[in-house]
């Protein structure tokens, strides 16, 4: 759910001062996005994806994998809390504090009924405008991943295999989507 502040837009400082009440607060272009704590299935899908991505990121020393809650700035005084993100290493070391993360090279959002519109439209536009190289929209129900690149007008829809290559000299991360979705749906 989006909220406009009476009399204007929200600032990063105002959003960061909100209480920790179990909701996720994000600031996209002055608009406050409020979402409840995610459901269990959603978190399982995020954790399974994070495990696969983080193994790759660590093996190839790409940077650091992170998950919400986070207070990423995206270089434009936003407050972004993507489900999953990867930020590059800085001078050979992995970022630690939120202000060191910069613009992620990968962001993934797992769709939820309450956030689908924002993930597909509002956040996608902000991530692309901020320079996020790759944005994955993970649809657990449909068992597919939409891959958005910088400047893309439409996604590549992946049903079988998801590939990510953050550096052309590295071998790509290849995710078998059937195995991933099976793990996300495992009881």
């Amino acid at each position: 759910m989006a909220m406009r502040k009476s009399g204007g837009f929200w600032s990063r400082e105002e959003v960061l001062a909100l209480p920790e009440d179990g909701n996720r607060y994000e600031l996209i272009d002055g608009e406050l996005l409020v979402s409840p704590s995610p459901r269990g299935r959603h978190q399982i899908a995020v954790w399974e994806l994070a495990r696969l991505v983080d193994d790759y990121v660590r093996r190839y020393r790409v940077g650091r994998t992170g998950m919400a809650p986070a207070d990423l700035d995206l270089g434009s005084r936003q407050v972004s809390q993507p489900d999953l993100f990867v930020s590059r290493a800085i001078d050979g070391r992995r970022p630690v504090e939120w202000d060191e993360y910069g613009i992620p090279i990968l962001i993934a959002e797992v769709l939820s009924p309450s956030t689908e519109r924002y993930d597909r439209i509002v956040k996608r536009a902000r991530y692309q405008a901020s320079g996020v190289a790759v944005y994955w929209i993970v649809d657990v129900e449909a068992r597919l991943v939409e891959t958005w690149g910088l400047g893309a007008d439409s996604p590549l829809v992946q049903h079988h295999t998801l590939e990510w290559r953050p550096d052309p000299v590295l071998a790509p991360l290849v995710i078998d989507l059937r195995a991933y979705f099976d793990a996300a749906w495992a009881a």
Side-chain angles (χ1 to χ4, degrees), residues 67-136:
M67 296 169 39
D71 291 325
L72 300 181
D73 183 324
L74 300 181
S76 52
R77 309 282 304 146
Q78 310 294 314
V79 177
S80 182
Q81 297 202 34
D83 289 327
L84 173 74
F85 57 93
V86 176
S87 290
R88 285 207 182 276
I90 307 159
D91 298 325
R93 78 172 177 79
R94 299 179 334 150
V96 176
E97 298 300 332
W98 294 131
D99 62 350
E100 297 176 321
Y101 278 77
I103 305 300
I105 55 175
L106 171 68
I107 287 181
E109 297 281 7
V110 175
L111 293 180
S112 294
S114 64
T115 64
E116 181 174 1
R117 178 183 169 283
Y118 296 106
D119 291 342
R120 288 188 188 278
I121 300 169
V122 176
K123 289 183 181 182
R124 178 188 53 80
R126 169 45 49 206
Y127 294 157
Q128 286 180 308
S130 294
V132 174
V134 177
Y135 176 43
W136 292 340

